[in-house]
Amino acid sequence: AQSVTQLGSHVSVSEGALVLLRCNYSSSVPPYLFWYVQYPNQGLQLLLKYTSAATLVKGINGFEAEFKKSETSFHLTKPSAHMSDAAEYFCAVTLPYNGNQFYFGTGTSLTVIP
Amino acid sequence: DVKVTQSSRYLVKRTGEKVFLECVQDMDHENMFWYRQDPGLGLRLIYFSYDVKMKEKGDIPEGYSVSREKKERFSLILESASTNQTSMYLCASSLWRQGITYEQYFGPGTRLTVT
């Protein structure tokens, strides 16, 4: 079975500081991994995805994530936080041959302090 | 751009009522999904459909049913609404091709309150 753990349900950073949101996965085979963002009262929007190509993946709005097989991690980073980054972030895992079943983490709420 | 729309943003229903949540996608996607989102629990899959009239149970199907009569439309039905079904409901869709995983595109959500 696959699962995702997001460490830290709430993260606060100052504007301009590094953003680091953690995601660890459990999978019996190399998975595909996704980060989604949810702004207040909206649906989820894809930030970036890892599908077994380059391990460092760049996404929208300056975010990137690195797939580290040895650590079973896919942490999301952004060098400099902006006020507009305040949102809920979800990590998700799926299997390459069964993309119908996505497993989502419980989410991390990011607060950006001016 | 892919667009997934949901019939209502906010809905208030009474216990025991039959509730229909509608979802429409405009990109000819084969797969459609219904999730519920609760604080601290993330997203949990209720049902998904990979073709017209085809459906599979997700992790929490109890108390729900679905209908997919047309490719672009996927409905979630609460046969007899209960207070523990108060939640945010998210619809999603994705392409399907053999052996390829595609990202899911989400609608804006329906916040359902059952009183």
Side-chain angles (χ1 to χ4, degrees):
Chain A
Q2 292 69 48
S3 68
V4 169
T5 301
Q6 291 184 241
L7 287 173
S9 57
H10 297 276
V11 170
S12 293
V13 300
S14 298
E15 192 175 13
L18 171 73
V19 175
L20 170 61
L21 304 182
R22 299 178 187 275
C23 173
N24 288 89
Y25 68 89
S26 169
S27 177
S28 53
V29 297
Y32 285 179
L33 293 153
F34 301 78
W35 274 102
Y36 282 86
V37 61
Q38 184 180 33
Y39 298 104
N41 298 315
Q42 294 187 26
L44 276 67
Q45 177 183 358
L46 181 69
L47 268 180
L48 49 79
K49 61 182 178 182
Y50 167 76
T51 56
S52 76
T55 56
L56 182 62
V57 181
K58 294 188 184 299
I60 62 172
N61 302 337
F63 284 92
E64 63 181 37
E66 187 171 8
F67 173 69
K68 291 188 176 181
K69 186 178 178 181
S70 60
E71 298 176 9
T72 61
S73 69
F74 190 57
H75 301 330
L76 182 71
T77 60
K78 181 175 181 178
S80 176
H82 192 272
M83 295 299 295
S84 61
D85 295 326
E88 186 100 19
Y89 292 80
F90 292 92
C91 183
V93 62
T94 189
L95 294 176
Y97 54 83
N98 186 16
N100 290 333
Q101 187 77 32
F102 276 49
Y103 296 90
F104 285 85
T106 53
T108 297
S109 177
L110 176 66
T111 299
V112 181
I113 303 165
Chain B
D1 276 353
V2 175
K3 193 162 187 182
V4 180
T5 57
Q6 296 183 229
S7 52
S8 305
R9 294 300 303 275
Y10 300 92
L11 210 51
V12 180
K13 295 292 182 181
R14 295 198 179 274
T15 302
E17 278 193 83
K18 190 169 186 176
V19 181
F20 292 86
L21 303 183
E22 305 284 339
C23 175
V24 177
Q25 51 93 3
D26 66 357
M27 283 303 290
D28 203 36
H29 284 174
E30 290 79 12
N31 291 340
M32 295 189 75
F33 307 83
W34 274 107
Y35 293 91
R36 69 175 279 175
Q37 180 182 10
D38 299 289
L41 297 178
L43 276 72
R44 294 178 291 168
L45 182 65
I46 304 171
Y47 270 97
F48 76 92
S49 168
Y50 51 92
D51 201 351
V52 175
K53 298 190 186 294
M54 306 304 289
K55 62 186 179 185
E56 285 202 20
K57 293 180 180 178
D59 299 318
I60 52 165
E62 296 77 19
Y64 304 95
S65 62
V66 290
S67 173
R68 194 169 181 197
E69 297 296 321
K70 293 184 177 182
K71 189 175 184 179
E72 68 271 17
R73 189 178 297 271
F74 191 36
S75 302
L76 179 69
I77 304 155
L78 286 66
E79 295 290 342
S80 177
S82 64
T83 55
N84 62 13
Q85 293 179 309
T86 291
S87 186
M88 170 72 92
Y89 290 87
L90 293 167
C91 176
S93 71
S94 74
L95 284 167
W96 182 88
R97 297 291 183 271
Q98 181 71 38
I100 300 176
T101 294
Y102 292 93
E103 62 266 31
Q104 296 184 10
Y105 293 85
F106 285 82
T110 296
R111 188 167 292 282
L112 173 67
T113 302
V114 183
T115 62

